[in-house]
Every structure is written in C-alpha cells, then in structure tokens.
Amino acid sequence: MKRFRKGIPGQPAYPTIPEDYSEAEECASLTSDLEQNELLFKRIFDKDADIVFRTVRSAGQKQWIVIFFSCSIEEEMIDKHILQPLIARNNQHEQSQVQAETLDDLFITAAKTYVTSSVTEIVNHLLDSHAIVLTRADSHAVMIKVKGSKQRSLEEPSSEPVIRGPRDGFIESISTNIGLLRSRLKTPRLKMESLTIGELTQTTVVMSYINGIANESVVEEVRNRVSRIKIDGVLDSAYIEEYIEDSPYSLFPLVHSTERPDVVAAELLEGKIAILVDTSPFVLIVPMTFWTGMQASEDYYVRWPIATFVRWIRFIFIFIAIFAPPLYVAVTTFHQEMIPTNLVLSIAASRESVPFPALIEAFLMEVIFEALREAGIRLPKQIGQAVSIVGALVIGQSAVQAGIISAPVVIIVSITGIAAFTIPRYSFANGIRLLRFPMLFLAGTLGLYGIVLGFLGILLHVTSLRSFGVPYFAPIAPLSFSNLKDVLVRAPIWARTHRPLATAKSHPVRQPEGQQPSPSRRKPQSGQ
C-alpha cells in the first residue's frame, strides 16, 4: 500500500518514504512521472553530499536522470557507458519516447544491467556502486553496474609471508577476491553462493565450495548458519566467524582465516568451504582442525623432508610455549630434587635477592612480555619493532640488576615468546599464549601434578571439540591411518593420493597412484 503526501503546489503528489525505513521497503515503488521519482530519491538521500543527479534533456525537457554516488564510482565510466550514448541519441534528433527496457537493450553499453520498479532494489543497488537511469513516462529504472573507485593493489599478505610461493593476497574487494580463486580453480564445479547480511551495511557474503568434493551436509550446515545471522552491520569476516563457530568459549579457533588465495584454493580441493566477506581481506575456511593451525602454506612449496623437519620443530615448540614457564615454577617451588646440583645452586644464587616467589616472578615477566609484544604491534611500523626489542632488553636487564627478577626467568620467558612465534597461524597462536597463564597457576599451587592435570584438561578439551561436525583432533582422534600423510609428516605430493575423509567422503580420490618419480634407464645405442 502506497502512502502519498501533498507535493509542491502545481505539481502532483508523490510517494513518500516514512521515517521507519522497513515500512518504506514494503510500500515504495516508482511512478511514471520522472519529476516525482526524482523528488523521491532526493528525499531518501537528503543531506548526502556525494550523490549526483545528472539530467539529460531532449526537446527542451528532462528525458533521463542519472543517479550515482561519486565516491564509489569512477565518473569516467559513467561518461563512457551511460552519458555519451544518451547524448549521442539526442544529437541524432530522435524525439520518440524510449522505455527503460529499450534503453537497456540498445543504448547502455555496460555489461551488467537490470530493470526494476522497486525503490528498495534501486536504493540497495545505488549503495552497492550502481548507477541508476530514470526515464520519462516510465515506472521502471535501469540499474547499471559500474566499475568502482580505485582499490588497494594486490600484494603479499604481511601476516603470512613466504620465501617460496605466490605473492598475491586478498584485498577488500570481494569481486577481486573471487577472481583470485577463479584464476586458480578453473572449473565450473567451483560454486559461489551469495548472501546479503547486515541491516545497515548490506554486506555481501559469498560461500564458496567445489561441488562434488565438499560434503553436501557440511555445505548445508554452513549455509544455514550464515543465513540465520541477524545483525545491523558486518565490518569484517570476524563478525561472521563468531556467529558460526561451534564452541564460542574455547581458546582454540574453530574457523580458519587467511589472506592467501593459494591456501583457500588448497583447502577447497580438500572438500572444505570458504566464506568471503566484502570489505574484508580475510577469508574464513571451515571445517578447521587442530593440525590446520600448525601448517603453513610454504610447507607445500619446499621439499618434503624440509617441511617435515620444520613441522616437527613447531610441534616441539608448541609444548615449550605452553609448558616451559609452568615447569620452571613447579620444579623450583616443589621439586628441587629433580634439578642437578650445579644447576640448582646457580638458580638459587640468581634468586637470592629476588623478593617474589617463582610463580609471581614468572607471571610478572609474562605480562610484561605480552605488553611489549602488543605495543610493538600497535605502534607504527617504523618504531614498533624497535620499541619491542629495545624495551625487552632494557627492562629485562634492569630488572635483573635491580634484583626484582632472576636471570633464569628472563631466559625462560624469552624462549617461550620465541616458541609462540613459530606457530604459523596467528589466531591459533593467540590461544596457545593464553594457555600459559592457567598452567602457571596450576604449577604454582600443585606442582607437577597441576601440570599433568592441566595437560589432561587441554587434551580432553581439544579432542571433544567439533568444527561443523568434524572432530577437531582428526585424524589422530579418531585415528585414521590413511589420512596421516599430511599431519605429523608432510608426505610428497605424489604420495597424497586421497583427500581427508572427514571433509571429502563423496570424492576422496585426489590422483591416481603410481606417480612416484622413477626415470627409466635407457641403454645407450651402439656408436654412442
């Protein structure tokens, strides 16, 4: 039902947009009067300095009105694909009336065009980098997709650098990000399902998967979780992540995020689903397992023995990152008999002037280290790195000389910080960093018994987690020998003949067997 108000004297009344915009979406539509439609959009976009109303006249009267936002569209594209064809028609002295559909078919040279009479659709497309052409004596408008304003160029992601591998990364344009995936996966089986989320932001969210490889049940579950999100605005993919994860109170991430197109393409080939969000360079990948957080994209671009060695270095250092400070506190507080005599004398001498127990000492140093780390990240790049390094050296040395902190604690905390940096996935490393603090208190109160209880609690928690129905610790728990080739070791590419069964049950075969390199030895011909 339309609502009208009285217009300017001498002019017909025009439909109004109520203050409650949700009601306007149901009742507003275009009329066949060009001036009324113009007034309607001027009222909707009142006090918007960046909107442009460009009038094209024919035979002394308004024939077309082109509406667009100058901040989100290149005006050269408006001139080339819309205004020049319309003005050229006027120069040919054609006085016949042109309807919107005819205008769309014969004059507009842009590739993507739509014809509609819904004000709601027109407003949404205007805000999504479209230009609108209103025509005299027609209740329909032509919506033209025009190239947007200039965006950030493709460059290597700073959060996931590699020595060998592709150098391009996702940017804030979802169309560009989709193109990066299409350039790697040139198959019609790569599907892109689009949704719009956010009452005010109207953010485009695209769910991508390879049809026939991804499990349909997981695809349906992802589709349902994303579509049921009701929120006023989505500013980054992190908003979507918090709505769709299985265990929101866990320290371990259950949704993998990355800026690298090659990582997303590799995960899609294993049957996983990617979620792209407009205005965000981070793409979400589900389901996620514990072992995904320990793998780097460069593992697959170097020789497999090197990748396996580096992967085991990460496994060792993740234990150091969690248990090194708690072990020091437990042994020095409750189990001194486990330390060699010379070492215990050295530790006792260094702690002679320290007024705090080992638990408080380690806790203070951990907090200071995390503060320096955060300061180095948030400060400008030119001084952030210098502040974090110099601050750690100066504060550590000064604290030891003042007798507030012992030298062994400084060493232990430094090694722990380095160990956390070996974890390739940033969100995964954050959870590991936080685990140190409860483990410290368990070690300071219960000794080695507390560490054992904490380890069992972490193990039980990790093995109980699920990511879209996939066990978080798979394929270790539950154990699957056929899928261990890419967990504890990185098998050669030619040996990885099957996809993970947890994510690609319907199409598990990746490649035929028997492709191990074995050059044939040809006998030399006589006379050679």
Side-chain angles (χ1 to χ4, degrees), residues 242-254:
E242 293 197 19
Y243 275 99
I244 64 175
E245 57 187 351
D246 292 67
S247 301
Y249 298 105
S250 175
L251 293 180
F252 293 92
L254 300 176

Side-chain angles (χ1 to χ4, degrees), residues 9 64-65 141 197 318 352 360 374 426 432 435 442 454 457 486 498:
W64 300 286
I65 297 177
I197 300 177
I318 192 175
E352 184 177 1
I360 303 300
E374 187 68 15
Y426 178 75
I432 299 301
L435 284 175
L442 286 173
D486 195 27
H498 287 74

